[in-house]
Amino acid sequence: MSSIFTFLRLPMIGLALIGIAVSGYFFGKSQGVPSNSGSVFAASMALDTAARGKSLSLATGVIEVGTDALYSLDHLTGDLTCWILDPRNGAVSVHFRISAATALGITGEADYVMATGYMNFSGANEGNAKPAQSVVYIGDGNSGKAVGFVLMYNKQAIARGDSTGGELRLISAMETRGINSIRDQGK
C-alpha cells in the first residue's frame, strides 16, 4: 500500500508545482508585475531595508528602477542625508541633506526612528524634476511627531553628478499621539 502512495506522490507534487507556477504567472499578470525573462517565476521587485544604531539610522529606497538611494539620519544633529548610488559602479554620485529636526520642531533630545516606503506619484513632475519612488519617514518617540520626505530630482543632473539637480522635500507631517480614532472594540 505504501508503494502505491509513493508512486502517486511524485506526480501529485509535480502537478502542485505546475499549479503554483501557473497561478503565480496569472497573478503577476493581473497585478502588472513585469517579467524580466520568459520564466513564470521572474518578477521585478525592489527591497528596502533599515537599521538603527545609537546615533545613526540607515535605510535604502528606490529612486527609480535601477537607481537606489541610501538614507542616513544622524541622531545627534537631526540631519537627514540621501546618497544616490551610481547604477554603473555603485559609487556615490550625489547627496542631498535636510534637517529632520527642524521639520519635526525638535529643540531638545530626540528619540528618532526612520523607515522608507514605496510611493508611485502620478502627475507630480515639476519641469525636469520628478519625485523618487520612495518616501523616507522620520519619527520622534518623545514628541510623537512624524514627517515624510521625498527626493525631487532631475535625472540628467544626477547623471552628471550635479547635486543642484535635486532636493529633499517635506511632503507630510503627522501627529501619532492624541489622534481621535474609532476602532472596532469587538462589541
Side-chain angles (χ1 to χ4, degrees), residues 45-116:
M45 63 180 175
L47 301 175
D48 295 339
T49 186
R52 181 174 193 249
K54 271 181 152 179
S55 58
L56 181 70
S57 291
L58 298 174
T60 60
V62 174
I63 299 303
E64 64 180 27
V65 174
T67 304
D68 209 15
L70 174 65
Y71 296 98
S72 67
L73 176 65
D74 184 330
H75 297 208
L76 302 177
T77 65
D79 288 341
L80 172 66
T81 305
C82 174
W83 309 86
I84 304 293
L85 306 178
D86 188 327
R88 296 168 292 195
N89 59 22
V92 174
S93 59
V94 293
H95 71 278
F96 307 94
R97 184 169 285 145
I98 193 167
S99 174
T102 300
L104 288 163
I106 294 174
T107 56
E109 187 175 324
D111 178 24
Y112 290 116
V113 64
M114 179 172 68
T116 55

Coordinates of all heavy atoms in Angstrom, one line a residue, residues 45-116:
M45 N 11.3 43.4 -8.5 CA 10.9 44.0 -7.2 C 12.0 44.6 -6.5 O 13.2 44.3 -6.8 CB 10.2 42.9 -6.3 CG 11.1 41.8 -5.8 SD 10.2 40.8 -4.8 CE 11.4 39.5 -4.5
A46 N 11.7 45.6 -5.7 CA 12.8 46.3 -5.0 C 12.6 46.0 -3.5 O 11.5 45.9 -3.0 CB 12.6 47.8 -5.3
L47 N 13.7 45.8 -2.9 CA 13.6 45.5 -1.5 C 14.3 46.7 -0.7 O 15.4 47.1 -1.0 CB 14.4 44.2 -1.2 CG 13.9 43.0 -1.9 CD1 14.7 41.8 -1.6 CD2 12.4 42.7 -1.5
D48 N 13.6 47.2 0.3 CA 14.1 48.3 1.1 C 14.5 47.6 2.5 O 14.0 46.6 2.9 CB 13.1 49.3 1.4 CG 12.7 50.1 0.1 OD1 13.5 50.1 -0.8 OD2 11.6 50.7 0.1
T49 N 15.5 48.3 3.1 CA 15.9 47.8 4.4 C 16.2 49.0 5.3 O 16.5 50.1 4.8 CB 17.1 46.9 4.2 OG1 17.5 46.3 5.5 CG2 18.3 47.6 3.7
A50 N 16.2 48.8 6.6 CA 16.5 49.8 7.5 C 17.3 49.2 8.7 O 17.0 48.1 9.1 CB 15.3 50.6 8.0
A51 N 18.1 50.0 9.3 CA 18.9 49.6 10.5 C 19.1 50.8 11.4 O 19.1 52.0 10.9 CB 20.2 49.0 10.1
R52 N 19.1 50.6 12.7 CA 19.3 51.7 13.6 C 20.4 51.4 14.7 O 20.4 50.3 15.2 CB 18.0 52.0 14.4 CG 18.0 53.1 15.3 CD 16.7 53.4 15.9 NE 16.7 54.7 16.6 CZ 16.6 54.8 17.9 NH1 16.5 53.8 18.7 NH2 16.6 56.0 18.5
G53 N 21.2 52.4 14.9 CA 22.2 52.3 16.0 C 21.9 53.3 17.0 O 20.8 54.0 17.0
K54 N 22.8 53.6 18.0 CA 22.5 54.6 19.0 C 22.4 56.0 18.4 O 21.5 56.7 18.8 CB 23.7 54.6 20.0 CG 23.6 53.7 21.1 CD 24.8 53.9 22.0 CE 24.6 53.6 23.4 NZ 25.8 53.7 24.2
S55 N 23.2 56.3 17.5 CA 23.2 57.7 17.0 C 23.1 57.8 15.4 O 23.3 58.9 14.9 CB 24.5 58.4 17.4 OG 25.7 57.8 17.0
L56 N 22.8 56.7 14.8 CA 22.7 56.7 13.3 C 21.6 55.7 12.9 O 21.6 54.6 13.4 CB 24.0 56.4 12.7 CG 24.0 56.4 11.1 CD1 23.9 57.9 10.6 CD2 25.3 55.8 10.6
S57 N 20.8 56.1 11.9 CA 19.8 55.2 11.3 C 20.1 55.2 9.8 O 20.5 56.2 9.2 CB 18.4 55.7 11.5 OG 18.0 55.5 12.8
L58 N 20.0 54.0 9.2 CA 20.2 53.9 7.7 C 19.0 53.2 7.1 O 18.5 52.3 7.8 CB 21.5 53.1 7.4 CG 22.8 53.6 7.9 CD1 23.9 52.6 7.6 CD2 23.1 54.9 7.2
A59 N 18.7 53.6 5.9 CA 17.6 52.9 5.2 C 17.9 53.0 3.7 O 18.5 54.0 3.3 CB 16.2 53.5 5.5
T60 N 17.4 52.1 2.9 CA 17.5 52.2 1.5 C 16.2 52.4 0.9 O 15.1 52.2 1.5 CB 18.1 50.9 0.9 OG1 17.2 49.8 1.2 CG2 19.5 50.6 1.4
G61 N 16.2 53.0 -0.3 CA 14.9 53.3 -1.0 C 15.2 53.4 -2.5 O 16.3 53.7 -2.9
V62 N 14.2 53.1 -3.3 CA 14.3 53.2 -4.7 C 14.1 54.6 -5.2 O 13.1 55.2 -4.8 CB 13.3 52.2 -5.4 CG1 13.3 52.4 -6.9 CG2 13.5 50.8 -5.0
I63 N 15.0 55.1 -6.0 CA 14.8 56.4 -6.7 C 13.9 56.2 -7.9 O 12.9 56.8 -8.1 CB 16.1 57.1 -7.0 CG1 16.9 57.3 -5.7 CG2 15.9 58.4 -7.7 CD1 16.2 58.1 -4.6
E64 N 14.4 55.3 -8.7 CA 13.6 54.8 -9.9 C 14.2 53.4 -10.2 O 15.2 53.0 -9.6 CB 13.7 55.8 -11.1 CG 15.1 55.9 -11.6 CD 15.2 56.9 -12.8 OE1 14.4 57.8 -12.9 OE2 16.1 56.7 -13.6
V65 N 13.6 52.7 -11.1 CA 14.1 51.4 -11.4 C 15.5 51.5 -11.9 O 15.9 52.3 -12.7 CB 13.2 50.8 -12.6 CG1 13.8 49.4 -13.0 CG2 11.8 50.6 -12.1
G66 N 16.4 50.7 -11.2 CA 17.8 50.7 -11.5 C 18.6 51.7 -10.7 O 19.9 51.7 -10.8
T67 N 18.0 52.6 -9.9 CA 18.8 53.6 -9.1 C 18.3 53.5 -7.7 O 17.1 53.7 -7.4 CB 18.6 55.0 -9.7 OG1 19.0 55.0 -11.1 CG2 19.4 56.0 -8.9
D68 N 19.2 53.3 -6.8 CA 18.9 53.1 -5.4 C 19.5 54.3 -4.6 O 20.4 55.0 -5.1 CB 19.6 51.8 -4.9 CG 18.8 51.2 -3.7 OD1 17.6 51.6 -3.5 OD2 19.4 50.3 -3.1
A69 N 19.0 54.5 -3.4 CA 19.5 55.6 -2.5 C 19.7 55.0 -1.1 O 19.1 54.0 -0.7 CB 18.5 56.7 -2.4
L70 N 20.7 55.6 -0.4 CA 20.9 55.3 1.0 C 20.5 56.5 1.7 O 21.1 57.6 1.5 CB 22.4 54.9 1.2 CG 22.7 54.7 2.7 CD1 22.0 53.5 3.3 CD2 24.2 54.5 2.8
Y71 N 19.6 56.4 2.7 CA 19.2 57.5 3.5 C 19.9 57.3 4.9 O 19.9 56.2 5.4 CB 17.7 57.5 3.8 CG 16.9 57.8 2.5 CD1 16.3 56.7 1.8 CD2 16.7 59.1 2.0 CE1 15.6 56.9 0.7 CE2 16.0 59.3 0.9 CZ 15.4 58.2 0.2 OH 14.6 58.5 -0.9
S72 N 20.5 58.4 5.4 CA 21.1 58.3 6.7 C 20.5 59.4 7.6 O 20.3 60.5 7.1 CB 22.6 58.4 6.7 OG 23.0 59.7 6.2
L73 N 20.2 59.1 8.8 CA 19.7 60.1 9.8 C 20.7 60.1 11.0 O 20.9 59.1 11.6 CB 18.3 59.7 10.3 CG 17.7 60.6 11.4 CD1 17.5 62.0 10.9 CD2 16.5 60.0 12.0
D74 N 21.3 61.3 11.2 CA 22.2 61.5 12.3 C 21.4 61.9 13.5 O 20.8 62.9 13.5 CB 23.2 62.6 11.9 CG 24.3 62.8 13.0 OD1 24.0 62.6 14.2 OD2 25.4 63.2 12.6
H75 N 21.4 61.0 14.5 CA 20.5 61.3 15.7 C 21.1 62.4 16.5 O 20.4 63.0 17.3 CB 20.5 60.0 16.6 CG 19.8 58.8 15.9 ND1 19.1 57.9 16.6 CD2 19.7 58.5 14.6 CE1 18.6 57.0 15.7 NE2 19.0 57.3 14.5
L76 N 22.4 62.7 16.4 CA 22.9 63.8 17.2 C 22.6 65.2 16.6 O 22.4 66.1 17.3 CB 24.5 63.7 17.2 CG 25.0 62.3 17.8 CD1 26.5 62.3 17.7 CD2 24.4 62.1 19.2
T77 N 22.5 65.3 15.3 CA 22.2 66.6 14.6 C 20.8 66.7 14.1 O 20.3 67.8 13.8 CB 23.2 66.9 13.5 OG1 22.9 65.9 12.4 CG2 24.6 66.8 13.9
G78 N 20.1 65.5 13.8 CA 18.8 65.5 13.2 C 18.9 65.7 11.7 O 17.8 65.9 11.1
D79 N 20.1 65.6 11.1 CA 20.2 65.8 9.7 C 19.9 64.5 8.9 O 20.4 63.4 9.3 CB 21.6 66.2 9.3 CG 21.9 67.7 9.6 OD1 20.9 68.4 9.9 OD2 23.1 68.0 9.7
L80 N 19.0 64.6 7.9 CA 18.7 63.5 7.0 C 19.5 63.7 5.7 O 19.4 64.8 5.1 CB 17.2 63.5 6.7 CG 16.8 62.5 5.6 CD1 17.0 61.0 6.1 CD2 15.3 62.7 5.3
T81 N 20.2 62.7 5.3 CA 21.0 62.8 4.1 C 20.6 61.6 3.1 O 20.4 60.5 3.6 CB 22.5 62.6 4.4 OG1 22.9 63.6 5.3 CG2 23.3 62.8 3.1
C82 N 20.4 62.0 1.9 CA 20.1 61.0 0.8 C 21.3 60.9 -0.1 O 21.7 61.8 -0.7 CB 18.9 61.5 0.1 SG 18.5 60.4 -1.3
W83 N 21.9 59.7 -0.1 CA 23.0 59.4 -1.0 C 22.5 58.6 -2.2 O 22.0 57.6 -2.1 CB 24.1 58.6 -0.3 CG 24.5 59.1 1.1 CD1 23.8 58.9 2.3 CD2 25.6 59.9 1.3 NE1 24.5 59.5 3.3 CE2 25.6 60.2 2.7 CE3 26.6 60.5 0.6 CZ2 26.5 61.0 3.3 CZ3 27.5 61.3 1.2 CH2 27.5 61.6 2.5
I84 N 22.7 59.2 -3.4 CA 22.3 58.5 -4.6 C 23.5 57.6 -5.1 O 24.6 58.2 -5.3 CB 21.9 59.5 -5.8 CG1 20.8 60.4 -5.3 CG2 21.5 58.7 -7.0 CD1 19.5 59.7 -5.0
L85 N 23.3 56.4 -5.4 CA 24.3 55.5 -5.9 C 24.3 55.4 -7.4 O 23.2 55.3 -8.0 CB 24.1 54.1 -5.3 CG 24.0 54.1 -3.7 CD1 23.8 52.7 -3.3 CD2 25.3 54.7 -3.1
D86 N 25.4 55.5 -8.0 CA 25.6 55.4 -9.5 C 25.3 53.9 -9.9 O 26.1 53.1 -9.4 CB 27.0 55.8 -9.9 CG 27.1 56.0 -11.4 OD1 26.5 55.2 -12.1 OD2 27.9 56.8 -11.8
P87 N 24.3 53.7 -10.7 CA 24.0 52.3 -11.0 C 25.1 51.6 -11.8 O 25.1 50.4 -11.9 CB 22.7 52.4 -11.8 CG 22.5 53.8 -12.2 CD 23.3 54.6 -11.2
R88 N 26.0 52.4 -12.4 CA 27.0 51.8 -13.2 C 28.2 51.2 -12.4 O 28.8 50.2 -12.8 CB 27.6 52.8 -14.2 CG 26.6 53.3 -15.2 CD 27.1 54.5 -15.9 NE 27.2 55.6 -14.9 CZ 27.3 56.9 -15.2 NH1 27.5 57.2 -16.5 NH2 27.4 57.8 -14.3
N89 N 28.5 51.8 -11.2 CA 29.6 51.4 -10.5 C 29.3 51.3 -8.9 O 30.2 50.8 -8.2 CB 30.8 52.2 -10.7 CG 30.6 53.7 -10.3 OD1 29.7 54.0 -9.6 ND2 31.4 54.6 -10.9
G90 N 28.2 51.7 -8.5 CA 27.8 51.6 -7.1 C 28.4 52.7 -6.2 O 28.1 52.7 -5.0
A91 N 29.1 53.6 -6.8 CA 29.7 54.7 -6.0 C 28.7 55.8 -5.8 O 27.7 55.9 -6.5 CB 30.9 55.3 -6.8
V92 N 28.9 56.6 -4.8 CA 28.0 57.7 -4.5 C 28.2 58.8 -5.6 O 29.3 59.2 -5.9 CB 28.3 58.3 -3.1 CG1 27.5 59.6 -2.9 CG2 28.1 57.3 -2.0
S93 N 27.1 59.1 -6.3 CA 27.2 60.2 -7.3 C 26.9 61.6 -6.7 O 27.6 62.5 -7.0 CB 26.4 59.8 -8.5 OG 25.0 59.7 -8.1
V94 N 25.9 61.7 -5.9 CA 25.5 63.0 -5.3 C 24.8 62.7 -4.0 O 24.4 61.5 -3.7 CB 24.5 63.8 -6.2 CG1 25.2 64.3 -7.5 CG2 23.3 63.0 -6.5
H95 N 24.7 63.7 -3.2 CA 23.9 63.6 -1.9 C 23.2 64.9 -1.7 O 23.5 65.9 -2.1 CB 24.8 63.2 -0.8 CG 25.7 64.3 -0.3 ND1 26.9 64.6 -0.9 CD2 25.6 65.1 0.7 CE1 27.5 65.6 -0.3 NE2 26.7 65.9 0.7
F96 N 22.1 64.7 -0.9 CA 21.2 65.8 -0.5 C 21.0 65.8 1.0 O 20.9 64.7 1.6 CB 19.9 65.7 -1.3 CG 20.1 65.6 -2.8 CD1 20.1 64.3 -3.4 CD2 20.2 66.7 -3.6 CE1 20.3 64.2 -4.7 CE2 20.4 66.6 -4.9 CZ 20.5 65.3 -5.5
R97 N 20.8 66.9 1.6 CA 20.6 67.0 3.0 C 19.5 68.0 3.4 O 19.3 69.0 2.8 CB 22.0 67.4 3.7 CG 21.9 67.4 5.2 CD 23.3 67.6 5.8 NE 24.0 66.3 5.7 CZ 25.3 66.2 5.4 NH1 26.0 67.3 5.4 NH2 25.8 65.0 5.3
I98 N 18.8 67.6 4.5 CA 17.8 68.4 5.1 C 17.7 68.2 6.6 O 18.1 67.1 7.0 CB 16.4 68.2 4.4 CG1 15.4 69.3 4.8 CG2 15.9 66.8 4.8 CD1 14.1 69.3 3.9
S99 N 17.2 69.1 7.3 CA 17.1 69.0 8.8 C 15.8 68.4 9.2 O 14.8 69.0 9.1 CB 17.3 70.3 9.5 OG 17.1 70.1 10.9
A100 N 15.8 67.1 9.5 CA 14.6 66.5 10.0 C 14.2 67.0 11.4 O 13.0 67.2 11.7 CB 14.8 64.9 10.1
A101 N 15.2 67.4 12.2 CA 14.9 68.0 13.5 C 14.1 69.3 13.3 O 13.1 69.5 14.1 CB 16.2 68.3 14.2
T102 N 14.4 70.1 12.4 CA 13.7 71.4 12.1 C 12.2 71.0 11.7 O 11.3 71.6 12.2 CB 14.4 72.2 11.1 OG1 15.7 72.5 11.6 CG2 13.6 73.5 10.8
A103 N 12.1 70.1 10.8 CA 10.8 69.7 10.3 C 9.9 69.1 11.4 O 8.7 69.3 11.4 CB 10.9 68.7 9.2
L104 N 10.5 68.4 12.4 CA 9.8 67.9 13.5 C 9.6 68.9 14.6 O 8.8 68.6 15.6 CB 10.5 66.6 14.0 CG 10.4 65.4 13.2 CD1 11.5 64.4 13.6 CD2 9.1 64.8 13.2
G105 N 10.3 70.0 14.6 CA 10.2 71.0 15.6 C 10.9 70.6 16.9 O 10.5 71.0 18.0
I106 N 12.0 69.8 16.8 CA 12.7 69.3 17.9 C 13.7 70.4 18.4 O 14.5 70.9 17.6 CB 13.4 68.0 17.6 CG1 12.4 66.9 17.3 CG2 14.4 67.6 18.7 CD1 13.0 65.6 16.8
T107 N 13.6 70.7 19.7 CA 14.6 71.6 20.3 C 15.4 71.0 21.3 O 16.5 71.5 21.7 CB 13.8 72.8 20.9 OG1 12.9 72.3 21.8 CG2 13.1 73.6 19.8
G108 N 15.0 69.8 21.8 CA 15.7 69.1 22.9 C 16.2 67.8 22.4 O 16.5 67.6 21.2
E109 N 16.2 66.8 23.3 CA 16.6 65.5 23.0 C 15.6 64.8 22.1 O 14.4 64.9 22.4 CB 16.9 64.7 24.2 CG 17.5 63.3 24.0 CD 17.9 62.6 25.3 OE1 18.3 63.3 26.2 OE2 17.7 61.4 25.3
A110 N 16.0 64.0 21.1 CA 15.1 63.3 20.3 C 15.3 61.8 20.4 O 16.3 61.3 20.8 CB 15.3 63.7 18.8
D111 N 14.2 61.1 20.1 CA 14.2 59.6 20.0 C 13.8 59.2 18.6 O 12.6 59.0 18.4 CB 13.3 59.0 21.1 CG 13.2 57.5 21.1 OD1 14.2 56.9 20.6 OD2 12.2 57.0 21.5
Y112 N 14.7 59.2 17.7 CA 14.4 59.0 16.3 C 14.2 57.6 15.9 O 14.8 56.7 16.4 CB 15.6 59.5 15.4 CG 15.7 61.0 15.4 CD1 16.9 61.6 16.0 CD2 14.8 61.9 14.9 CE1 17.1 63.0 15.9 CE2 15.0 63.2 14.9 CZ 16.1 63.8 15.4 OH 16.3 65.1 15.4
V113 N 13.3 57.5 14.9 CA 13.1 56.2 14.2 C 12.9 56.6 12.7 O 12.4 57.7 12.4 CB 11.9 55.4 14.7 CG1 10.6 56.2 14.5 CG2 11.8 54.0 14.2
M114 N 13.3 55.7 11.8 CA 13.3 56.0 10.4 C 12.8 54.8 9.6 O 13.3 53.6 9.9 CB 14.6 56.5 9.9 CG 14.6 56.8 8.4 SD 16.2 57.6 7.8 CE 17.4 56.3 8.0
A115 N 12.0 55.0 8.6 CA 11.6 53.9 7.7 C 11.4 54.5 6.3 O 11.2 55.7 6.1 CB 10.3 53.3 8.2
T116 N 11.4 53.6 5.3 CA 11.2 54.0 3.9 C 9.9 53.3 3.4 O 9.6 52.2 3.9 CB 12.3 53.8 3.0 OG1 12.7 52.4 3.0 CG2 13.5 54.7 3.3

